[in-house]
Structure formats: C-alpha cells, structure tokens
C-alpha cells in the first residue's frame, strides 16, 4: 500500500509539532515537506525539538507544491494563512485537512464552492478531539429539551481568535434544534460592556484566556430547579491527533468539503 504524502503547515507550532510526532508513529503516512513563514530551505531535522524528518521547509506554498508530490496538506497556522493555504492547495489538487480556526462564514462558503468545483476533498474541523466532538453532539441533543444555554470556552492566552471555533460550532449545532430565544431578564443591562458575553440567537458565549489552559469548554443548560453541564477538557495537544489521523484517512475518499469531524465519524 502506498503511503499518503503529507505537507504540514506550521510545523514549529504547538499543534503542528504534535502533528509531526503523530506522523512519525504512522506506517501509512509520509511527511514530504513543511510550510512555514521562516527558515526557508532548512530541514525539519535541523530543529532539535522536532522529530528527525528529512523534509524541507518552504516559505512559498506554490513553490512547495511545484517541487514535491503531495496528497494532503495539514494546516495548523493562523486564520489568515490557513485560508490562503487551503485555497491554494485545492487549486493544486492537494487535499486540505484544516485545524486552523477563525475562518469567516464567507471564507468557509468560498472554500466549500471551490472544493466542489474542483472535486478536491477538504476537511475543516474546529476541534479534532473526539471527546469535544461528542460534547457538541450531546449539547445539540440536550438543547432540544433545554433552550436556555450558555457556552463557556477556556483556552491558553496565545489563542488569536475568540470565541473559539468549537464554541461557534456548538452554537451552530444548537441553533439547528433551538428556537431563537433571548435569554436572561428582558430589561437586563450590562454595567460593564461585554459582561454577558457574545450573543448568538439569544444564547451567550463567554471566552476565557489564561496561561496554563489548553482547550476546555462547558455547555451549561438551565431549567426550573435544575442545571445540566456538559464539559470537555483537552489537557494535551496529543488529544487532537487521533482526529487529525482520521481526517487524513477520510479526506482521501472525499471530493467535497466536510466541516466538522462529526460528519466523518460512523
Ligand atoms: P501556534 O503554536 O502559534 O502555531 C502556529 C504556527 O504557525 C507557528 O509556528 C507560526 O510561526 C506558524 N505560522 C504563522 N504564519 C505562518 C505561515 N504564513 N505559514 C506557515 N506557518 C505559519 O498555534 P497552535 O496552538 O499550534 O494553533 C494553530 C491553529 O490551530 C490555531 O488556529 C488554533 O486555533 C488551531 N487549533 C485547532 C485545534 C483543532 O482541534 N482543530 C486545536 C488546537 C488549536 P511563528 O510562531 O513564527 O509565527
């Protein structure tokens, strides 16, 4: 069986370096190159803290795809570059597996249309942790019976986007089953702006950023005399890698864009 040839964008990052360690353990994956915005032409093996891959680092994505044969691009960078990388990869027929969060609805729609037009599979997953995917599904189920809900997401303080992609995705799933409803007292006033969090169809999202955190979320449902809390914690970035591997395996069989890991779980 031939190996799936993978390019990783963001190899020195917290998620990208974890993806390299995951690839190192797989017999059916081969790292053929990396994309970075620094260290052009250097090898991954030049970095002591990274696995000893012979793969070359490219700063220019076009040059990368013209120089190496690749099947999949795993993008774990920033919203701005993740979007550009995904678009370019589709044009080159390289299937993107995107963990980068913070894309706008318009960007997601554009990538969905482009993927369909070119017949190139794409998976974009705001959360690759299987537990988080289940947390979102359980929350959607509970929202049918508990329309009063607040989402509290907690992440490390280097995160660029707020609210998290997972919180946005959770709210979107809940929105599918919950009638739009303004929560709290109708005359409620914020004496300090932002105190009640972001408003999505009347439900609230609160974002916490602190050193020491990785990725955590609570979905709290309220009803007369009872609360239900659905909670997920990623304590280590290794928790995302089972999902990244699953997405790489699945993207090879797709010719459209799939958003959310739950759509490829059996
Ligand atoms: P990080 O540690 O800051 O890593 C991002 C890496 O991308 C850095 O090494 C950065 O280099 C590099 N980079 C910046 N611009 C680039 C470009 N143009 N080309 C290539 N590389 C570039 O962040 P992280 O925690 O790994 O997170 C990365 C992304 O994954 C974020 O969007 C985050 O929200 C998302 N994430 C997703 C999941 C999921 O399950 N889907 C889980 C956790 C995080 P410099 O440091 O030199 O700028």
């Amino acid at each position: 069986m031939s190996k799936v040839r993978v390019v990783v964008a963001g190899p020195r990052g917290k998620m990208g370096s974890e993806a390299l360690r995951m690839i190192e353990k797989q017999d059916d994956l081969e790292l053929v190159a990396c994309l970075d915005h620094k260290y052009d032409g250097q090898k991954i093996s030049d970095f002591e803290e990274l696995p000893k891959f012979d793969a070359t680092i490219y700063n220019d994505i076009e040059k990368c795809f013209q120089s190496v044969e690749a099947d999949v691009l795993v993008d774990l960078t920033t919203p701005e570059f993740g979007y550009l990388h995904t678009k370019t990869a589709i044009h080159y027929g390289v299937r993107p597996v995107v963990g980068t969060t913070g894309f706008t609805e318009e960007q997601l729609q554009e990538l969905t249309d482009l993927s369909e037009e070119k017949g190139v599979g794409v998976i974009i997953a705001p959360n690759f942790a299987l537990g988080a995917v289940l947390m979102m599904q359980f929350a959607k189920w509970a929202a049918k019976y508990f329309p009063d809900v607040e989402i509290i997401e907690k992440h490390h303080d280097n995160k660029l986007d707020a609210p998290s992609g997972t919180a946005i995705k959770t709210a979107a799933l809940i929105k599918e089953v919950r009638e739009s409803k303004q929560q709290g007292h109708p005359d409620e006033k914020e004496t300090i702006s932002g105190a009640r969090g972001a408003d999505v169809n009347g439900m609230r999202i609160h974002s916490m950023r602190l050193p020491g955190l990785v990725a955590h979320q609570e979905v709290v449902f309220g009803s007369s005399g009872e609360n239900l809390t659905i909670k997920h914690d990623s304590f280590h970035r290794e928790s995302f890698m089972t999902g990244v591997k699953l997405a790489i395996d699945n993207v090879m069989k797709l010719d459209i864009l799939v958003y959310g890991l739950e759509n490829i779980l059996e």
Side-chain angles (χ1 to χ4, degrees):
M1 195 184 67
S2 59
K3 294 187 179 196
V4 175
R5 297 161 299 184
V6 182
V7 172
V8 171
R12 294 174 299 109
K14 293 182 280 298
M15 284 289 283
S17 57
E18 205 56 49
L20 296 187
R21 286 186 271 278
M22 180 275 289
I23 292 169
E24 194 182 26
K25 291 183 206 142
Q26 309 298 324
D27 293 334
D28 57 348
L29 301 183
E30 180 187 359
L31 183 79
V32 290
C34 283
L35 278 172
D36 206 322
H37 62 141
K38 297 174 187 163
Y39 307 109
D40 195 33
Q42 292 202 29
K43 299 279 183 186
I44 288 297
S45 53
D46 295 338
F47 295 81
E48 206 148 282
E49 66 283 11
L50 298 179
K52 297 288 154 234
F53 283 113
D54 188 41
T56 302
I57 295 172
Y58 291 85
N59 285 178
D60 181 340
I61 186 167
E62 304 249 2
K63 191 174 161 204
C64 175
F65 291 147
Q66 286 159 10
S67 308
V68 296
E69 294 278 329
D71 301 303
V72 173
L73 167 73
V74 173
D75 193 278
L76 298 158
T77 59
T78 62
E80 185 191 351
F81 289 102
Y83 163 70
L84 291 174
H85 290 161
T86 306
K87 222 163 102 166
T88 312
I90 297 172
H91 278 293
Y92 275 86
V94 177
R95 296 169 159 87
V97 165
V98 183
T100 305
T101 57
F103 293 178
T104 64
E105 298 240 338
E106 293 73 35
Q107 288 174 331
L108 285 173
Q109 190 55 55
E110 190 194 336
L111 294 171
T112 303
D113 294 343
L114 186 63
S115 149
E116 194 175 333
E117 184 197 319
K118 302 279 180 194
V120 175
V122 180
I123 295 176
I124 300 181
N127 203 318
F128 280 119
L130 298 189
V133 173
L134 291 173
M135 176 255 305
M136 288 187 258
Q137 294 297 313
F138 296 156
K140 180 180 176 183
W141 188 20
K144 260 193 206 172
Y145 309 101
F146 293 87
D148 285 272
V149 51
E150 306 229 350
I151 299 169
I152 306 163
E153 58 95 343
K154 309 172 192 179
H155 283 81
H156 58 90
D157 58 348
N158 285 320
K159 188 167 175 59
L160 293 178
D161 51 320
S164 68
T166 305
I168 295 172
K169 175 80 185 170
T170 309
L173 288 171
I174 290 176
K175 214 170 120 186
E176 286 175 23
V177 296
R178 171 187 174 275
E179 296 268 305
S180 177
K181 174 179 195 245
Q182 205 55 42
Q183 293 177 193
H185 196 285
D187 297 332
E188 166 182 284
K189 270 199 188 63
E190 285 182 335
T191 52
I192 299 179
S193 167
R196 290 287 291 119
D199 186 335
V200 181
N201 272 76
M203 65 185 131
R204 299 293 174 156
I205 303 180
H206 310 270
S207 298
M208 195 186 277
R209 299 288 176 264
L210 284 173
L213 292 169
V214 178
H216 316 260
Q217 181 167 292
E218 289 175 34
V219 187
V220 187
F221 295 92
S223 185
S224 318
E226 63 174 330
N227 272 191
L228 168 67
T229 302
I230 302 170
K231 181 169 182 274
H232 176 261
D233 296 283
S234 275
F235 298 113
H236 191 280
R237 285 173 184 81
E238 209 178 343
S239 65
F240 301 114
M241 294 305 137
T242 316
V244 174
K245 173 66 168 72
L246 195 69
I248 294 173
D249 294 345
N250 277 270
V251 82
M252 294 303 293
K253 303 173 210 152
L254 291 175
D255 57 5
I256 54 163
L257 184 148
V258 170
Y259 181 70
L261 202 64
E262 68 281 7
N263 294 311
I264 57 165
L265 290 177
E266 302 209 343

